[in-house]
Amino acid sequence: MILPINWLKDYCKTEKKYSEIADIFHSIGFTPDEITKEYIDLEITPNRGDAVSVYGLSREINAFLNKPFTDYSKPSQFTKKKNSIISFDNEKAKESVPTYAYLVIEGPLPKKSPAYIAQRLKQININPKNNIVDLTNYLMHEYGQPLHAFDLEKINKLEIGFGKKGEKAVLLGDTEVSITEENLIARSNNTIVDLVGISGCTNSAVCASTTKILMQAAIFTPSVIRKSAKVAGLQTPASYRYERGVDPNAPTYALEKAARILEGWGYNIVEKNIIVNCKNKEKTILFDYALIPNLTGIKVDEKTSRSILTRLGFKVVKNKIIVPSWRTYDIQSPVDLVEEVIRIYGYHNIKPQALPSNPKPPQKTNQHNVNELITTLAGMGLTEVKSTSFISKKEASIFGFDEKSLIEIEKPLSAEYVYMRPSLAPKMFEALSKNPWYDKFTIFEIGNIFKNGQEAVNIALATTNKNHCLGELLPLCDIVKISPEAKTAQLYKIKRQFFYAEAPIEKIAPTLLANKMPTTHNKYKTISKFPPVVRDISFLVKDSTSIEVVSRDIATTEDAILIVEPLDEFESPKFEGKKSITLRITYQKINETLTTQHAETLHNRVREYLIKKYQASIRE
Amino acid sequence: MPKLPRGHIHPTTQLLTRAISAMEKIGFEVLTGPELTTERLNFDVLRIPKDHPARDTQDTFWTKDGKVLRTHTSAMQIPAMAQKKPPVRILIPGRVFRNESTDATHEAVLYQLEGFVIEKDTTMANLIWTLNYLLKELLGKDIKTKFFPHNYPFVEPGMDVMIKWQGRWLEVLGSGMIHPEVLHNMGVESDKWQGFAFGIGIDRLMMLERGVDDIRWSLSGDLRFLKQF
């Protein structure tokens, strides 16, 4: 919701700077998405239909600024005429339109709007059209009440009801929509002239020759407009507001303001009518003020609480709180009132308070087994991968999964999201294909799989290492040898032999839980779009030198070094008090392919560095 | 077994593990549950009704047979309480799904950590303390936090948490006091018990912690990513 600062100041007398105003809105529950000197764009949560307007937001900030509440919804003289232009097809249509108010207006031809209206519309990204249409848009943004102007010479009646399958309507902006039984529409002479609550139709729009106008301001049931907009695949500023709930009293005060402005422009208000199908019931909540400290942990005295509620427009009679008409959609119970008080009082005033110590110590659960398993496997030299939970149709067919046993996604966004994975294999194979530059490695994944309507946790292991120890790890599982000729290997372009095993986690977890590995705190380094070069280096150093320290040290010597891995470490009598260390270094260049020659230069520099700093003798 | 070379644990797992052990220290127990759930558990019982725009805030994967891939770990609140009686302190880590196109900051498959407490007189002051504790454990003791009102249908009052990270304030999690209707749906008497709930997006936190600039690395299976941690 774009809130122009100068427009807000029509309703809120404050000298605060735009940035302070943004901070205030943030502190009371409206997150600013964009802040400029001219306007603030605020996120309005779906429960706050009342705040999708300049006036609505002014009520909020005035409550915060401790200004007395000013009600602009003055009583107005709308007649309840019996034989109105408006009629309803049936009870269901009637129930969908609790209130329908309108003006009948006669006067000069539409012309350009005054500058202040045109400018403000531009600020909220609406192109000015003519003074009548602009006024409806202007007042919608000001009060949150959608208005619509019909050319009364193009319609003679408005019959409100639900659509029929096969009907079509051409909306403002020349969009054609197919109508269904879910769409609330208005007809005149059996022609659809309005997609109610969403958009008017071109056939009844105000144009350059219009001299008689019906200006509508109505309340429609939020869920009816939501369904209608959904099936039409549309969201308009009007439907957005109706879905969230428009103040039941807004039709008359919005039209009242329209009438005053129109009269100022030389128009005659011929009729001011209102049809009330369903009276807005006043909502009263019995409120125990002790709920505030009980729930929040801070004391707000009763006087302050009452003052906050009153400033927000609630009527407070001791512990009876009457909800203002514009909040009837979201204020339903005492806890809602606690939030109202505390958000204006300020969340920052709540002092943190430690949780009391828990008498029940936590129990060991399955999650512990999984975590232990992951640390154990990593400690043994395996690397954990995570992959998406979806597979494509192509993957399903290559792996020969029975489509009937798979869980299929409704209207998938892309071909990658067609089925839930019934096995970890497709993405494990993909991971193997993604790492051609590393020769011997072993990876694993633990994740949920979906098969025959059942969900289970599987573990999968894959290795390119011929001397693998999968047999030791998985004594109870089948280990499959996959050759590059296999259909699956070809799909993923895996050009080497590897071994794969997968099993339900509970089958192997108990045999696996042993030595652990600490977590790291390494920062991420940007990975090049170009392939890396991987080189090993072996050297002799003093026995006291730590392989981890040397690895971390070398990683900082060149920008082109992405990863340094300790690969091997051993002592031998023939080294005379020294030990042998082997490191594996992944080199890359960010903006281009790293050539073998350049990699050799870099590798030489590492050799020289090791010799100089650690008095290493290079082996190789 | 050979000692070297050492393997690597996915950075998201590492962060989740640290979060879990920090929370276990203050008496939370860990539960897990299915990723595939129902409309009822993911939405209805959490006060996100069918014909309400609150549904739009979470793009949902539906299966052909009408089930829902959970859009948040809060879908586990009610199943968790089917096995438990208050007082409880529960932690639920797991995958959640958002049906939207992926880019550097959006993934369809994400990790969340849900936590909730139901006791006699748990307050927002306790919630704020708990979140400060957890964020300090994860991101360092100097981390600065701010708390703002925000509406989530299943909590009231609702609260968003921002942290100051490299000079900028970032929103990292949503939380609040569990709504009495949700307590009722859990089978808990809301006049006797009250509590708080929070949900943290773990991927985002991992990216901040490690300085990762593209979320898609997380599920890439690329060893150039995984070997860094």
Side-chain angles (χ1 to χ4, degrees):
Chain A
M1 158 80 196
I2 297 175
L3 177 65
I5 305 283
N6 60 357
W7 202 341
L8 174 72
K9 288 188 175 175
D10 287 0
Y11 289 99
C12 170
K13 301 286 165 257
T14 177
E15 295 308 313
K16 298 236 181 259
K17 268 177 59 188
Y18 68 97
S19 53
E20 293 171 292
I21 292 174
D23 284 345
I24 292 172
F25 276 113
H26 199 175
S27 78
I28 59 175
F30 302 93
T31 314
D33 288 332
E34 194 190 347
I35 304 167
T36 72
K37 273 186 186 147
E38 285 74 38
Y39 65 88
I40 307 165
D41 192 0
L42 292 170
E43 179 201 341
I44 314 282
T45 48
N47 61 320
R48 294 302 304 272
D50 64 290
V52 197
S53 68
V54 175
Y55 175 45
L57 286 167
S58 79
R59 286 188 295 237
E60 292 289 313
I61 193 165
N62 282 332
F64 178 89
L65 295 171
N66 211 351
K67 308 219 173 202
F69 175 72
T70 323
D71 194 352
Y72 288 85
S73 53
K74 288 174 191 138
S76 30
Q77 303 132 354
F78 276 69
T79 50
K80 290 182 184 173
K81 216 171 80 176
K82 270 272 150 62
N83 48 354
S84 157
I85 306 171
I86 316 296
S87 65
F88 300 92
D89 287 1
N90 49 37
E91 270 313 299
K92 196 180 156 205
K94 233 173 153 174
E95 279 165 20
S96 307
V97 190
T99 305
Y100 192 105
Y102 64 91
L103 305 176
V104 174
I105 305 154
E106 284 176 356
L109 294 174
K111 55 176 185 228
K112 260 175 83 175
S113 288
Y116 80 98
I117 288 188
Q119 272 162 12
R120 284 184 172 180
L121 288 181
K122 280 181 198 150
Q123 272 190 309
I124 58 169
N125 301 324
I126 293 177
N127 281 330
K129 287 199 180 70
N130 58 53
N131 59 346
I132 301 298
V133 173
D134 292 352
L135 183 62
T136 62
N137 286 326
Y138 182 85
L139 291 176
M140 174 167 66
H141 206 76
E142 179 146 299
Y143 289 130
Q145 168 66 56
L147 300 167
H148 181 60
F150 294 95
D151 185 333
L152 249 187
E153 271 150 14
K154 293 178 189 157
I155 57 172
N156 54 9
K157 273 190 139 192
L158 278 177
E159 295 160 343
I160 297 175
F162 285 87
K164 293 188 201 99
K165 235 189 158 96
E167 285 184 293
K168 298 247 188 272
V170 181
L171 307 180
L172 297 176
D174 289 327
T175 332
E176 191 183 80
V177 287
S178 302
I179 298 297
T180 72
E181 292 93 336
E182 300 271 31
N183 295 117
L184 190 64
I185 49 153
R187 287 192 178 84
S188 173
N189 296 329
N190 295 320
T191 307
I192 298 177
V193 293
D194 190 29
L195 181 55
V196 169
I198 300 170
S199 170
C201 295
T202 47
N203 56 13
S204 57
V206 170
C207 63
S209 58
T210 301
T211 55
K212 206 170 174 195
I213 296 158
L214 183 147
M215 193 175 279
Q216 151 202 304
I219 299 298
F220 304 116
T221 307
S223 58
V224 171
I225 301 303
R226 179 170 166 81
K227 267 188 230 164
S228 176
K230 274 222 138 171
V231 298
L234 290 168
Q235 192 185 61
T236 63
S239 71
Y240 181 87
R241 286 168 173 83
Y242 279 126
E243 283 185 19
R244 282 156 177 75
V246 173
D247 178 4
N249 291 337
T252 51
Y253 64 78
L255 285 180
E256 212 41 82
K257 174 119 183 208
R260 259 179 287 141
I261 293 174
L262 287 164
E263 280 167 345
W265 292 345
Y267 289 86
N268 282 329
I269 308 303
V270 185
E271 280 186 50
K272 264 187 189 177
N273 280 341
I274 187 163
I275 300 153
V276 179
N277 289 330
C278 173
K279 251 198 159 162
N280 181 41
K281 278 187 224 108
E282 205 171 66
K283 201 189 262 176
T284 305
I285 296 172
L286 285 178
F287 188 53
D288 177 1
Y289 290 87
L291 191 58
I292 298 172
N294 289 350
L295 215 51
T296 64
I298 42 163
K299 283 207 172 73
V300 182
D301 64 65
E302 208 174 306
K303 203 178 141 212
T304 308
S305 304
R306 276 206 298 258
S307 161
I308 290 173
L309 290 170
T310 310
R311 266 141 52 200
L312 285 166
F314 292 84
K315 287 200 183 75
V316 181
V317 189
K318 285 189 179 152
N319 64 339
K320 272 191 199 151
I321 316 286
I322 301 164
V323 180
S325 59
W326 58 91
R327 297 300 298 277
T328 44
Y329 300 93
D330 81 309
I331 302 289
Q332 284 154 359
S333 57
V335 286
D336 296 316
L337 298 174
V338 174
E339 181 174 88
E340 288 309 297
V341 171
I342 211 78
R343 77 186 169 91
I344 301 294
Y345 188 75
Y347 276 28
H348 63 275
N349 287 316
I350 305 175
K351 297 266 173 306
Q353 204 167 48
L355 272 180
S357 56
N358 193 349
K360 286 195 293 187
Q363 296 165 346
K364 277 221 157 193
T365 59
N366 286 341
Q367 185 64 32
H368 285 90
N369 285 339
V370 171
N371 279 351
E372 267 183 61
L373 196 55
I374 292 172
T375 18
T376 306
L377 291 169
M380 292 190 294
L382 282 69
T383 293
E384 186 201 9
V385 302
K386 287 181 183 293
S387 66
T388 184
S389 302
F390 302 95
I391 61 165
S392 65
K393 251 196 153 70
K394 191 171 170 195
E395 287 171 311
S397 96
I398 293 278
F399 280 87
F401 300 135
D402 174 15
E403 292 197 3
K404 269 181 260 140
S405 72
L406 299 180
I407 292 170
E408 196 173 348
I409 299 299
E410 178 80 21
K411 295 188 199 130
L413 268 185
S414 92
E416 303 294 310
Y417 301 125
V418 175
Y419 298 113
M420 299 303 295
R421 58 182 180 187
S423 151
L424 301 172
K427 297 301 167 191
M428 284 291 276
F429 282 32
E430 196 180 314
L432 280 167
S433 78
K434 275 189 180 166
N435 296 288
W437 19 79
Y438 292 107
D439 66 352
K440 290 175 192 167
F441 66 87
T442 309
I443 54 175
F444 71 99
E445 177 167 14
I446 297 173
N448 292 30
I449 56 127
F450 305 80
K451 211 157 129 186
N452 298 321
Q454 298 290 317
E455 191 173 337
V457 184
N458 267 15
I459 177 168
L461 296 99
T463 185
T464 61
N465 192 345
K466 276 194 212 86
N467 309 316
H468 65 82
C469 46
L470 292 192
E472 232 171 294
L473 291 176
L474 308 169
L476 304 169
C477 305
D478 292 335
I479 297 158
V480 198
K481 183 160 103 182
I482 316 265
S483 73
E485 292 76 43
K487 214 163 56 167
T488 46
Q490 279 180 1
L491 172 69
Y492 295 103
K493 301 191 177 70
I494 305 172
K495 302 208 165 69
R496 53 183 156 174
Q497 173 187 285
F498 66 97
F499 300 87
Y500 183 76
E502 180 168 347
I505 192 155
E506 64 272 10
K507 198 170 156 191
I508 67 154
T511 61
L512 265 176
L513 302 171
N515 56 355
K516 294 205 179 171
M517 204 185 86
T519 60
T520 67
H521 294 275
N522 304 345
K523 293 285 177 200
Y524 161 77
K525 279 190 199 164
T526 305
I527 296 165
S528 170
K529 290 190 182 68
F530 302 95
V533 174
V534 179
R535 285 266 189 286
D536 293 352
I537 186 165
S538 297
F539 50 93
L540 294 177
V541 280
K542 261 187 263 152
D543 206 20
S544 56
T545 314
S546 147
I547 188 168
E548 293 285 344
V549 170
V550 179
S551 302
R552 278 199 299 272
D553 183 24
I554 292 173
T556 63
T557 59
E558 300 275 350
D559 281 344
I561 296 179
L562 180 66
I563 302 163
V564 181
E565 294 169 84
L567 206 62
D568 195 14
E569 179 178 25
F570 67 95
E571 289 163 36
S572 159
K574 66 177 181 190
F575 297 154
E576 297 168 347
K578 292 196 166 187
K579 67 177 172 187
S580 166
I581 284 178
T582 305
L583 303 178
R584 170 163 293 177
I585 307 176
T586 305
Y587 296 98
Q588 65 169 16
K589 281 194 89 176
I590 288 294
N591 299 321
E592 58 190 302
T593 301
L594 180 63
T595 61
T596 350
Q597 273 170 324
H598 192 178
E600 196 46 48
T601 314
L602 291 165
H603 207 54
N604 260 331
R605 280 205 284 230
V606 171
R607 285 192 190 104
E608 281 158 23
Y609 182 81
L610 285 167
I611 293 166
K612 208 167 160 201
K613 177 137 182 206
Y614 295 96
Q615 291 84 46
S617 33
I618 308 297
R619 297 184 70 218
E620 289 164 296
Chain B
M1 257 305 136
K3 214 165 174 219
L4 288 168
R6 71 178 184 87
H8 303 269
I9 299 175
H10 193 285
T12 304
T13 307
Q14 293 196 28
L15 188 65
L16 266 177
T17 307
R18 282 168 48 214
I20 290 169
S21 38
M23 296 305 278
E24 281 179 339
K25 275 191 216 148
I26 57 168
F28 280 73
E29 68 176 299
V30 181
L31 295 179
T32 51
E35 293 167 2
L36 190 60
T37 183
T38 60
E39 180 176 9
R40 192 179 80 84
L41 292 175
N42 195 75
F43 294 121
D44 299 343
V45 291
L46 297 175
R47 306 181 71 251
I48 311 172
K50 195 181 180 104
D51 290 311
H52 195 275
R55 280 263 176 120
D56 297 344
T57 57
Q58 301 178 346
D59 296 314
T60 309
F61 278 109
W62 295 84
T63 66
K64 284 245 157 105
D65 55 354
K67 288 200 160 184
V68 171
L69 284 178
R70 64 180 177 196
T71 58
H72 47 191
T73 38
S74 307
M76 277 297 299
Q77 285 186 4
I78 277 133
M81 286 312 288
Q83 330 159 17
K84 299 275 168 189
K85 286 226 158 11
V88 290
R89 293 182 187 178
I90 288 171
L91 210 56
I92 306 159
R95 280 189 170 194
V96 300
F97 303 84
R98 295 291 165 92
N99 194 0
E100 54 188 18
S101 19
T102 59
D103 60 28
T105 54
H106 294 90
E107 235 313 330
V109 178
L110 297 158
Y111 283 81
Q112 260 185 13
L113 179 65
E114 179 88 5
F116 68 90
V117 169
I118 302 171
E119 284 167 16
K120 286 271 180 224
D121 38 33
T122 306
T123 63
M124 280 178 88
N126 296 135
L127 168 61
I128 290 174
W129 179 87
T130 306
L131 295 174
N132 275 336
Y133 164 79
L134 177 60
L135 290 168
K136 279 177 204 291
E137 289 280 319
L138 295 181
L139 300 172
K141 63 179 176 12
D142 297 327
I143 198 85
K144 285 199 174 70
T145 51
K146 265 195 210 169
F147 302 88
F148 295 91
H150 192 91
N151 177 262
Y152 298 97
F154 36 101
V155 288
E156 194 74 50
M159 186 168 85
D160 263 354
V161 184
M162 294 187 104
I163 56 163
K164 197 169 192 181
W165 188 262
Q166 292 169 352
R168 286 171 56 214
W169 284 99
L170 303 172
E171 207 177 291
V172 288
L173 68 95
S175 63
M177 299 303 292
I178 302 174
H179 197 286
E181 281 173 31
V182 176
L183 286 173
H184 174 82
N185 293 340
M186 288 172 171
V188 172
E189 291 161 287
S190 61
D191 52 344
K192 293 205 177 109
W193 302 96
Q194 62 188 45
F196 65 68
F198 63 86
I200 313 185
I202 292 297
D203 308 76
R204 173 87 189 288
L205 231 49
M206 178 278 282
M207 290 170 76
L208 292 181
E209 182 203 11
R210 306 283 182 167
V212 177
D213 53 8
D214 190 327
I215 194 172
R216 288 168 295 190
W217 286 115
S218 175
L219 302 182
S220 68
D222 196 316
L223 288 172
R224 293 175 299 165
F225 177 73
L226 299 164
K227 279 176 183 244
Q228 294 193 37
F229 307 104

